[in-house]
Amino acid sequence: MERLFRRVPALLMARRNIARTKVRSVLAALGIVIGVIAIASLGMFGLTLRYQLTENLGDIANEVTVEPNREDVRTPRAISRREVRDIRRIAGSSASVVPIQQQNLPVSLDRGPPSNRFVQSVESPAAVYDAAEGSIPENFRSGVLVGQGIAAENDIDPGSTIAINGTSTPVRAVLAPGDSVGFLPSENAIVVPSSSFDRRGYYRVIVQAEDGGAANETAMALRERLNERRDRFTVDDNSDLADQIGQTFRALNLFLLGIGSISLLVAGVSILNVMLMSTVERRQEIGVLRAVGFQKRDVLKIMLSEAVLLGIVGGIAGAAFSIVAGMVINHFILGDATLAFRPGNFLYIGLAFAFGVGTSLLSGLYPAWKAANERPVEALRS
């Protein structure tokens, strides 16, 4: 670094001038530090929120829902086993197909009066859910599985008994949070064996693809082949929902960056003020430089170098503090401070650093132009 300063005289003189007014220079650079921290931290905050929501909706974004067409009176109200086999064949071996039965039945959780709740049956629940307490039998033919939210509210443990449609049923397991099928979160699920339902057929079929793109292609294939002759099924995929969420968070990030830019604008005004004061105080010095042969462009380089140096020093300090701020944000929101080192966060830090240096350069343009155009004779007389 010292070698660079000696090779570029303008930088060397700029560093010496900054060092002569340390307190004022530190205060000017502090504005850049705050601006860089504001932009980078708000950008990382928006990215962390988007990451958390995408993680929570990850399973839903990959899902395709197939239901009977409720608007077609000629369509049966349930999906048959043969139609489920057709859906499996169209979806392919890489997708997981989960037929669901669902009814609104009277349920008594705490031996009190029953209240109507949605009760569902899922083929092979052990493949879909994890158990927080108890265990989910591979051959699930008796008992009931309840979500952790319902279990906590009603003090239910594995071995407890609840009544469904007037029949007492032992609880086999309490489901772990996070796993869900369709839009029904596992926290509020009540899962029973398929033999508990009188009617045949399935209320809904969920197809879980590898990712959002595969889910979209699967949904198009299902619409085309299942509704070849008439619209018997409603096929919905959630890729549009994921896209809308992504667009919303991109707009939120731009809004947050706009707020952060205000603090950088204030820092730019501070540097402009410092540079203007420096130009006035060093008028005679500038006159001497011009008198001994310094050209306008030399004075311009010195003044701009001072502004850029303030921006670089403030930007580096702001970037370092931004990493710390990102670790704190990720620790409290996602519980993992190391997620601050994702590539997307460094993009915001780099963007904030570039804005900080750019703001400093723009703030120094007018004072540098004013100093460079100072007439030597008038400057020496002042």
Side-chain angles (χ1 to χ4, degrees):
M1 185 62 72
E2 192 65 30
R3 185 176 298 177
L4 174 65
F5 280 123
R6 295 194 179 281
R7 285 188 176 182
V8 185
L11 281 177
L12 183 61
M13 295 185 71
R15 190 187 67 170
R16 288 175 178 172
N17 290 333
I18 291 175
R20 285 192 303 183
T21 53
K22 289 181 181 176
V23 175
R24 197 164 61 189
S25 300
V26 167
L27 291 176
L30 188 61
I32 295 296
V33 173
I34 295 172
V36 170
I37 292 175
I39 289 182
S41 301
L42 290 174
M44 288 191 288
F45 176 67
L47 188 66
T48 301
L49 287 180
R50 184 168 60 179
Y51 180 83
Q52 184 188 34
L53 189 60
T54 303
E55 191 176 54
N56 292 339
L57 295 178
D59 292 337
I60 294 177
N62 298 348
E63 288 183 353
V64 178
T65 304
V66 182
E67 294 179 332
N69 186 354
R70 308 294 175 189
E71 297 179 356
D72 188 351
V73 294
R74 298 173 298 172
T75 300
R77 300 296 91 181
I79 302 173
S80 67
R81 289 182 179 276
R82 183 178 61 79
E83 290 165 338
V84 171
R85 287 197 295 272
D86 291 341
I87 293 171
R88 281 202 171 97
R89 189 177 65 256
I90 297 170
S93 57
S94 60
S96 176
V97 177
V98 184
I100 297 175
Q101 291 177 308
Q102 182 171 299
Q103 273 188 268
N104 195 9
L105 297 174
V107 177
S108 177
L109 297 168
D110 52 0
R111 298 184 181 179
S115 59
N116 283 346
R117 290 175 178 267
F118 280 107
V119 177
Q120 65 178 6
S121 167
V122 179
E123 279 192 1
S124 304
V128 178
Y129 296 109
D130 290 323
E133 298 177 51
S135 61
I136 303 174
E138 289 292 334
N139 191 8
F140 183 48
R141 293 187 175 178
S142 64
V144 61
L145 313 175
V146 299
Q148 202 166 47
I150 292 178
E153 288 177 8
N154 300 279
D155 196 21
I156 293 174
D157 298 312
S160 302
T161 301
I162 66 175
I164 300 176
N165 205 17
T167 302
S168 295
T169 307
V171 175
R172 299 291 185 194
V174 175
L175 302 177
D179 299 318
S180 62
V181 178
F183 286 101
L184 183 62
S186 63
E187 282 83 358
N188 300 320
I190 299 176
V191 183
V192 298
S194 57
S195 58
S196 303
F197 293 101
D198 297 332
R199 65 186 184 188
R200 294 181 178 180
Y202 299 97
Y203 164 78
R204 174 184 295 163
V205 175
I206 303 295
V207 180
Q208 296 176 326
E210 293 179 335
D211 51 42
N216 185 256
E217 292 178 3
T218 302
M220 293 174 63
L222 288 170
R223 289 191 192 101
E224 182 179 349
R225 298 174 65 176
L226 291 178
N227 298 327
E228 191 173 6
R229 296 183 178 177
R230 73 170 196 273
D231 292 339
R232 296 184 302 149
F233 298 95
T234 300
V235 181
D236 293 320
D237 68 291
N238 300 314
S239 58
D240 290 343
L241 174 63
D243 290 342
Q244 289 174 7
I245 291 173
Q247 290 175 5
T248 302
F249 271 92
R250 277 192 286 276
L252 177 64
N253 267 24
L254 287 176
F255 175 71
L256 293 176
L257 289 176
I259 294 176
S261 300
I262 295 174
S263 58
L264 208 51
L265 179 64
V266 175
V269 173
S270 173
I271 288 181
L272 174 64
N273 184 47
V274 168
M275 296 298 297
L276 280 175
M277 290 177 63
S278 178
T279 302
V280 173
E281 290 174 355
R282 289 155 52 193
R283 198 176 179 194
Q284 289 187 338
E285 177 186 333
I286 293 170
V288 171
L289 290 176
R290 293 296 309 281
V292 297
F294 275 65
Q295 301 297 315
K296 287 184 178 180
R297 64 173 178 275
D298 296 325
V299 177
L300 194 69
K301 284 180 185 177
I302 294 170
M303 299 300 291
L304 284 180
S305 297
E306 290 181 25
V308 172
L309 276 180
L310 286 174
I312 291 175
V313 172
I316 292 174
F321 283 116
S322 298
I323 293 175
V324 177
M327 293 176 69
V328 172
I329 290 171
N330 281 275
H331 172 72
F332 283 104
I333 295 180
L334 299 178
D336 186 358
T338 59
L339 291 175
F341 297 98
R342 289 193 300 267
N345 287 333
F346 286 103
L347 176 66
Y348 284 112
I349 293 174
L351 185 68
F353 176 81
F355 275 10
V357 176
T359 302
S360 300
L361 178 62
L362 290 176
S363 301
L365 280 177
Y366 174 68
W369 176 85
K370 183 176 172 53
N373 287 279
E374 193 78 56
R375 297 183 64 181
V377 176
E378 294 180 1
L380 290 171
R381 283 178 181 171
S382 62

